[in-house]
Amino acid sequence: MINEATRLNVEEGQDDRLLKPLGGYLGYSNEWRELAQVISRDIFSSDPNVRWDDIIGLDNAKRIMKEAVVYPIKYPQLFTGILSPWKGLLLYGPPGTGKTLLAKAVATECNTTFFNISASSIVSKWRGDSEKLVRVLFELARFHAPSTIFLDELESLMSQRGSSGGGTEHEGSRRMKTELLVQMDGLAKTDDLVFLLAASNLPWELDHAMLRRLEKRILVDLPTEEAREAMFKHHLPPLITPESHGLDLRAEIDYKLLAGATQGYSGSDIRLVAKEAAMTPVRKVFQVLEQLAEAEEPHIALDPVTTQDVQSAIAHTKPSARLLTEKYKKWQQEYESV
Ligand code: ADP
């Protein structure tokens, strides 16, 4: 699946390609360069490295993403006139269900320039200047098209509730949102292959000005039982080693039973459960290692993870978004575009 170490390394590396002045761009200045530097360092991701097959389940969401973004990038000649592509897509649903993975898969499979930002972190870091950052971001995206911009936590720009964050924060959100709307209108008017994939866990907090520009809306739902089973198999795969003579050392893991016991869990919850369960045999080894005399050469052999280990991890984990399921479904009926 995704090689975490590679991903981090690549993301940390800065790609100077983005810092070259854009041809014919008159507003190039120190401020512009500074913002482009921030985008190159914190937002641009040179190799998101997620394949469609890395994403378990979500067949419907994958199909819509291919139709809406992948094919228009691959075969632009087919998507003209009435078929001109949607430029704004909303991925909504519970947290940890694969929205980021979907955006990365589009970027990987289509080899687009990929920008990955969280609306709330931009506003908290850049406050009143967040709108300038958005402007430069879209400029870079257009120049380096085809591009996909993944904008996470979109609802953080929308909350009009109270003044808990203080005046500046609210002002920063408002400005960034206005700039975003302007930029999205700009995208819709051109043939540039720049796609905004916005994600939200709370789509009902988005206002109509924003929703109108995110015409394609895709529910990224909690995994089905079948998908949960595949996830457990992925994280805790059957263990067949040369010494096991073709026997599965983890044969005692009952994947079906675990899938049945995790209704309402997100993909990210299941990953946590599997990780916690995989720690159980490691903890036992730690106990032995602690008792060894210093000079002794440790001989480490881990017990296989058992169904019981996983069940006990499940008992200690609460699914994060179960209560909202009905609300997503209701919102889908009202606002889904397909
Ligand atoms: P979000 O919907 O909040 O953007 P992410 O896409 O970041 O969620 O998923 C978080 C993590 O959960 C992923 O890195 C992955 O390990 C796991 N995960 C969630 N959904 C899936 C899925 N459908 N297939 C495979 N892994 C998943």
Side-chain angles (χ1 to χ4, degrees):
M1 194 162 174
I2 318 155
N3 181 336
E4 206 65 15
T6 324
R7 191 175 63 77
L8 288 178
N9 278 341
V10 171
E11 277 183 4
E12 270 164 24
Q14 189 162 322
D15 188 326
D16 289 339
R17 183 166 66 109
L18 286 194
L19 299 181
K20 302 214 170 80
L22 309 187
Y25 178 63
L26 297 174
Y28 184 72
S29 63
N30 280 346
E31 188 185 32
W32 187 94
R33 191 176 164 82
E34 199 188 310
L35 291 168
Q37 238 155 5
V38 170
I39 292 167
S40 168
R41 192 184 58 228
D42 298 340
I43 299 176
F44 169 71
S45 162
S46 66
D47 180 15
N49 197 18
V50 175
R51 304 270 157 199
W52 291 116
D53 288 345
D54 295 334
I55 306 174
I56 298 169
L58 300 181
D59 293 337
N60 199 39
K62 282 189 208 171
R63 181 186 58 77
I64 302 173
M65 295 284 277
K66 285 184 192 169
E67 242 178 58
V69 189
V70 177
Y71 299 144
I73 292 175
K74 285 196 176 160
Y75 312 106
Q77 69 278 21
L78 295 179
F79 291 83
T80 54
I82 183 83
L83 286 183
S84 65
W86 316 96
K87 297 296 178 59
L89 283 85
L90 174 67
L91 303 170
Y92 68 96
T97 45
K99 295 181 280 304
T100 311
L101 292 180
L102 284 167
K104 287 184 173 175
V106 168
T108 309
E109 300 280 342
C110 301
N111 209 4
T112 63
T113 317
F114 182 54
F115 301 92
N116 184 354
I117 52 173
S118 125
S120 70
S121 75
I122 288 212
V123 172
S124 66
K125 266 198 210 154
W126 289 83
R127 296 181 176 255
D129 280 341
S130 55
E131 103 253 35
K132 285 189 200 148
L133 196 79
V134 169
R135 205 174 308 143
V136 176
L137 174 67
F138 275 78
E139 246 160 49
L140 287 173
R142 274 197 302 272
F143 190 77
H144 295 283
S147 303
T148 40
I149 301 174
F150 180 63
L151 178 61
D152 206 356
E153 297 180 68
L154 184 63
E155 71 279 349
S156 68
L157 296 186
M158 301 298 154
S159 46
Q160 309 288 338
R161 292 171 265 119
S163 55
S164 53
T168 347
E169 191 161 328
H170 190 259
E171 175 67 9
S173 302
R174 202 185 52 73
R175 282 184 182 210
M176 182 173 159
K177 181 183 141 193
T178 310
E179 185 60 36
L180 204 59
L181 295 177
V182 170
Q183 292 297 338
M184 288 165 77
D185 285 344
L187 282 189
K189 287 194 203 111
T190 66
D191 292 333
D192 294 338
L193 286 176
V194 176
F195 295 85
L196 179 75
L197 308 175
S200 174
N201 305 325
L202 305 167
W204 39 84
E205 294 205 348
L206 305 180
D207 68 15
H208 285 272
M210 185 54 84
L211 279 179
R212 224 177 318 119
R213 289 160 177 90
L214 295 167
E215 297 161 301
K216 199 77 179 165
R217 299 163 201 148
I218 306 170
L219 172 63
V220 184
D221 210 352
L222 291 170
T224 59
E225 187 160 345
E226 196 189 346
R228 296 195 300 274
E229 187 180 336
M231 285 173 181
F232 278 117
K233 276 197 185 133
H234 170 79
H235 294 302
L236 304 168
L239 201 62
I240 299 172
T241 65
E243 297 82 45
S244 71
H245 304 292
L247 287 179
D248 171 12
L249 291 179
R250 282 196 180 134
E252 53 262 76
I253 294 193
D254 185 341
Y255 296 107
K256 271 207 169 10
L257 183 132
L258 297 175
T262 43
Q263 207 210 335
Y265 282 64
S266 69
S268 131
D269 294 334
I270 289 184
R271 183 165 168 267
L272 277 182
V273 163
K275 191 169 177 174
E276 184 56 32
M279 259 320 269
T280 321
V282 177
R283 285 207 184 98
K284 284 189 213 151
V285 170
F286 279 147
Q287 280 168 5
V288 177
L289 288 179
E290 298 262 293
Q291 284 153 14
L292 280 184
E294 279 221 351
E296 258 179 283
E297 183 72 23
H299 174 73
I300 299 177
L302 292 179
D303 287 344
V305 180
T306 65
T307 307
Q308 231 176 5
D309 294 337
V310 188
Q311 280 173 315
S312 130
I314 292 171
H316 291 104
T317 325
K318 289 250 180 325
S320 26
R322 196 178 192 156
L323 296 176
L324 291 178
T325 314
E326 280 312 306
K327 211 164 168 181
Y328 289 116
K329 289 262 158 13
K330 225 174 129 222
W331 199 84
Q332 181 186 30
Q333 279 166 8
E334 224 168 305
Y335 292 99
E336 181 103 311
S337 54
V338 275

PDB file of all heavy atoms in Angstrom, residues 269-281:
ATOM      1  N   ASP A 269     -10.614   4.325  11.833  1.00  0.00           N
ATOM      2  CA  ASP A 269     -10.839   3.613  13.105  1.00  0.00           C
ATOM      3  C   ASP A 269     -10.300   2.180  13.007  1.00  0.00           C
ATOM      4  O   ASP A 269      -9.672   1.675  13.947  1.00  0.00           O
ATOM      5  CB  ASP A 269     -12.338   3.517  13.432  1.00  0.00           C
ATOM      6  CG  ASP A 269     -12.967   4.879  13.717  1.00  0.00           C
ATOM      7  OD1 ASP A 269     -12.237   5.795  14.142  1.00  0.00           O
ATOM      8  OD2 ASP A 269     -14.194   5.022  13.515  1.00  0.00           O
ATOM      9  N   ILE A 270     -10.562   1.537  11.879  1.00  0.00           N
ATOM     10  CA  ILE A 270     -10.145   0.137  11.734  1.00  0.00           C
ATOM     11  C   ILE A 270      -8.624   0.025  11.693  1.00  0.00           C
ATOM     12  O   ILE A 270      -8.036  -0.890  12.261  1.00  0.00           O
ATOM     13  CB  ILE A 270     -10.801  -0.474  10.469  1.00  0.00           C
ATOM     14  CG1 ILE A 270     -12.291  -0.627  10.783  1.00  0.00           C
ATOM     15  CG2 ILE A 270     -10.164  -1.811  10.082  1.00  0.00           C
ATOM     16  CD1 ILE A 270     -13.115  -1.280   9.757  1.00  0.00           C
ATOM     17  N   ARG A 271      -8.014   0.993  11.074  1.00  0.00           N
ATOM     18  CA  ARG A 271      -6.546   0.998  11.055  1.00  0.00           C
ATOM     19  C   ARG A 271      -6.008   1.097  12.489  1.00  0.00           C
ATOM     20  O   ARG A 271      -5.064   0.406  12.870  1.00  0.00           O
ATOM     21  CB  ARG A 271      -6.070   2.184  10.217  1.00  0.00           C
ATOM     22  CG  ARG A 271      -4.594   2.260  10.057  1.00  0.00           C
ATOM     23  CD  ARG A 271      -4.248   3.219   8.919  1.00  0.00           C
ATOM     24  NE  ARG A 271      -2.827   3.532   8.933  1.00  0.00           N
ATOM     25  CZ  ARG A 271      -2.338   4.581   9.568  1.00  0.00           C
ATOM     26  NH1 ARG A 271      -3.140   5.407  10.207  1.00  0.00           N
ATOM     27  NH2 ARG A 271      -1.046   4.808   9.550  1.00  0.00           N
ATOM     28  N   LEU A 272      -6.646   1.971  13.292  1.00  0.00           N
ATOM     29  CA  LEU A 272      -6.214   2.122  14.693  1.00  0.00           C
ATOM     30  C   LEU A 272      -6.402   0.830  15.478  1.00  0.00           C
ATOM     31  O   LEU A 272      -5.515   0.433  16.254  1.00  0.00           O
ATOM     32  CB  LEU A 272      -7.035   3.218  15.378  1.00  0.00           C
ATOM     33  CG  LEU A 272      -6.587   4.632  15.177  1.00  0.00           C
ATOM     34  CD1 LEU A 272      -7.481   5.579  15.978  1.00  0.00           C
ATOM     35  CD2 LEU A 272      -5.128   4.787  15.641  1.00  0.00           C
ATOM     36  N   VAL A 273      -7.554   0.196  15.280  1.00  0.00           N
ATOM     37  CA  VAL A 273      -7.840  -1.063  15.977  1.00  0.00           C
ATOM     38  C   VAL A 273      -6.775  -2.104  15.612  1.00  0.00           C
ATOM     39  O   VAL A 273      -6.213  -2.780  16.491  1.00  0.00           O
ATOM     40  CB  VAL A 273      -9.254  -1.576  15.599  1.00  0.00           C
ATOM     41  CG1 VAL A 273      -9.430  -3.038  15.964  1.00  0.00           C
ATOM     42  CG2 VAL A 273     -10.329  -0.737  16.275  1.00  0.00           C
ATOM     43  N   ALA A 274      -6.485  -2.218  14.307  1.00  0.00           N
ATOM     44  CA  ALA A 274      -5.525  -3.225  13.852  1.00  0.00           C
ATOM     45  C   ALA A 274      -4.139  -2.931  14.424  1.00  0.00           C
ATOM     46  O   ALA A 274      -3.404  -3.838  14.845  1.00  0.00           O
ATOM     47  CB  ALA A 274      -5.477  -3.243  12.325  1.00  0.00           C
ATOM     48  N   LYS A 275      -3.806  -1.678  14.498  1.00  0.00           N
ATOM     49  CA  LYS A 275      -2.491  -1.300  15.016  1.00  0.00           C
ATOM     50  C   LYS A 275      -2.388  -1.657  16.499  1.00  0.00           C
ATOM     51  O   LYS A 275      -1.371  -2.187  16.961  1.00  0.00           O
ATOM     52  CB  LYS A 275      -2.303   0.209  14.812  1.00  0.00           C
ATOM     53  CG  LYS A 275      -0.912   0.672  15.050  1.00  0.00           C
ATOM     54  CD  LYS A 275      -0.722   2.087  14.574  1.00  0.00           C
ATOM     55  CE  LYS A 275       0.690   2.525  14.926  1.00  0.00           C
ATOM     56  NZ  LYS A 275       1.029   3.820  14.407  1.00  0.00           N
ATOM     57  N   GLU A 276      -3.453  -1.338  17.221  1.00  0.00           N
ATOM     58  CA  GLU A 276      -3.485  -1.637  18.643  1.00  0.00           C
ATOM     59  C   GLU A 276      -3.367  -3.149  18.866  1.00  0.00           C
ATOM     60  O   GLU A 276      -2.605  -3.609  19.726  1.00  0.00           O
ATOM     61  CB  GLU A 276      -4.801  -1.090  19.230  1.00  0.00           C
ATOM     62  CG  GLU A 276      -4.981  -1.229  20.721  1.00  0.00           C
ATOM     63  CD  GLU A 276      -3.864  -0.591  21.528  1.00  0.00           C
ATOM     64  OE1 GLU A 276      -3.306   0.417  21.063  1.00  0.00           O
ATOM     65  OE2 GLU A 276      -3.539  -1.129  22.616  1.00  0.00           O
ATOM     66  N   ALA A 277      -4.106  -3.936  18.048  1.00  0.00           N
ATOM     67  CA  ALA A 277      -4.058  -5.394  18.193  1.00  0.00           C
ATOM     68  C   ALA A 277      -2.655  -5.909  17.880  1.00  0.00           C
ATOM     69  O   ALA A 277      -2.140  -6.803  18.564  1.00  0.00           O
ATOM     70  CB  ALA A 277      -5.080  -6.039  17.263  1.00  0.00           C
ATOM     71  N   ALA A 278      -2.027  -5.328  16.856  1.00  0.00           N
ATOM     72  CA  ALA A 278      -0.693  -5.791  16.467  1.00  0.00           C
ATOM     73  C   ALA A 278       0.343  -5.485  17.547  1.00  0.00           C
ATOM     74  O   ALA A 278       1.423  -6.082  17.586  1.00  0.00           O
ATOM     75  CB  ALA A 278      -0.294  -5.141  15.145  1.00  0.00           C
ATOM     76  N   MET A 279      -0.004  -4.553  18.423  1.00  0.00           N
ATOM     77  CA  MET A 279       0.920  -4.205  19.528  1.00  0.00           C
ATOM     78  C   MET A 279       0.928  -5.292  20.609  1.00  0.00           C
ATOM     79  O   MET A 279       1.903  -5.414  21.355  1.00  0.00           O
ATOM     80  CB  MET A 279       0.478  -2.899  20.193  1.00  0.00           C
ATOM     81  CG  MET A 279       1.223  -1.631  19.821  1.00  0.00           C
ATOM     82  SD  MET A 279       2.972  -1.802  19.648  1.00  0.00           S
ATOM     83  CE  MET A 279       3.502  -1.429  21.329  1.00  0.00           C
ATOM     84  N   THR A 280      -0.178  -6.073  20.707  1.00  0.00           N
ATOM     85  CA  THR A 280      -0.281  -7.021  21.818  1.00  0.00           C
ATOM     86  C   THR A 280       0.914  -7.983  21.876  1.00  0.00           C
ATOM     87  O   THR A 280       1.569  -8.069  22.921  1.00  0.00           O
ATOM     88  CB  THR A 280      -1.620  -7.800  21.747  1.00  0.00           C
ATOM     89  OG1 THR A 280      -2.634  -6.894  21.333  1.00  0.00           O
ATOM     90  CG2 THR A 280      -1.961  -8.444  23.057  1.00  0.00           C
ATOM     91  N   PRO A 281       1.246  -8.700  20.782  1.00  0.00           N
ATOM     92  CA  PRO A 281       2.409  -9.586  20.851  1.00  0.00           C
ATOM     93  C   PRO A 281       3.715  -8.827  21.109  1.00  0.00           C
ATOM     94  O   PRO A 281       4.614  -9.350  21.775  1.00  0.00           O
ATOM     95  CB  PRO A 281       2.459 -10.249  19.473  1.00  0.00           C
ATOM     96  CG  PRO A 281       1.250  -9.837  18.740  1.00  0.00           C
ATOM     97  CD  PRO A 281       0.545  -8.769  19.491  1.00  0.00           C
TER      98      PRO A 281
END
